[in-house]
Amino acid sequence: MDDINALRRILREAKVIAVVGLSADWFRPSYFAAKYMQEHGYRVIPVNPKYPKILGEKCYPSLRDIPQAVDIVDVFRKTADVMPIAQEAIKIGAKVLWQQLGVRNEEAAARARAAGLEAVMDRCVKIEHGRLFGGLNWVGVNTGVISAKRPRWLAY
């Protein structure tokens, strides 16, 4: 999906995002994206069987184990792993199957659309939210996280 108005509508209407493949490591893109969305008012539900809790939220081993409705299923997995996730997203009644940057499973997206879900591929929820709703500082601009200055504490 490349329609800016549709992306804006999806992100405005969604309240609950299940992040499949969310890592508990703060330096991983999935963690940074989920933290950003959490800080911007979304309920983030981690889906990863490795962890009991991430970002203060109970972690579930699969989408079918989540006891509440989910708006967006955000996929941080390899393209080859998306089809079973899409099938679970359909079964739980999710509204959107969102495949992150670098993830583009056309067959899974087509199946999701046929079941009435919207499908987004090869886009990051954090980047799109920042671009469409003005959160660009979280993308790396003016945060002090990314800087051309050499830190004083490094021994060079």
Side-chain angles (χ1 to χ4, degrees):
M1 171 176 310
D2 293 320
D3 181 15
I4 289 173
N5 290 326
L7 290 171
R8 185 177 285 122
R9 178 185 44 74
I10 288 168
L11 291 171
R12 188 179 334 108
E13 292 175 0
K15 303 290 180 231
V16 179
I17 303 173
V19 183
V20 180
L22 179 57
S23 173
D25 296 327
W26 68 269
F27 52 85
R28 302 289 300 173
S30 62
Y31 185 93
F32 194 65
K35 184 170 176 55
Y36 170 90
M37 297 309 281
Q38 210 178 37
E39 294 289 326
H40 283 82
Y42 294 87
R43 167 87 195 281
V44 171
I45 300 175
V47 180
N48 190 328
K50 290 184 190 178
Y51 306 103
K53 210 172 208 186
I54 302 174
L55 290 169
E57 294 285 343
K58 180 180 175 169
C59 200
Y60 294 91
S62 70
L63 289 172
R64 67 183 168 274
D65 296 317
I66 299 172
Q68 71 176 91
V70 171
D71 298 315
I72 298 175
V73 173
D74 187 13
V75 183
F76 274 94
R77 297 292 309 269
K78 293 182 283 188
T79 298
D81 297 339
V82 176
M83 183 57 80
I85 296 166
Q87 291 168 335
E88 279 194 11
I90 292 165
K91 284 180 187 171
I92 67 166
K95 297 174 184 170
V96 179
L97 176 68
W98 191 300
Q99 299 176 55
Q100 276 292 332
L101 285 175
V103 182
R104 189 172 191 90
N105 188 318
E106 299 279 354
E107 186 182 350
R111 182 163 296 174
R113 285 188 194 105
L117 281 74
E118 294 189 83
V120 178
M121 292 184 289
D122 197 21
R123 289 187 179 269
C124 175
V125 291
K126 172 184 68 70
I127 292 171
E128 294 305 319
H129 187 277
R131 181 172 74 96
L132 299 170
F133 297 101
L136 287 178
N137 65 322
W138 273 83
V139 180
V141 179
N142 198 26
T143 61
V145 174
I146 298 172
S147 174
K149 287 179 134 183
R150 184 175 292 181
R152 292 179 184 224
W153 53 269
L154 291 177
Y156 283 90

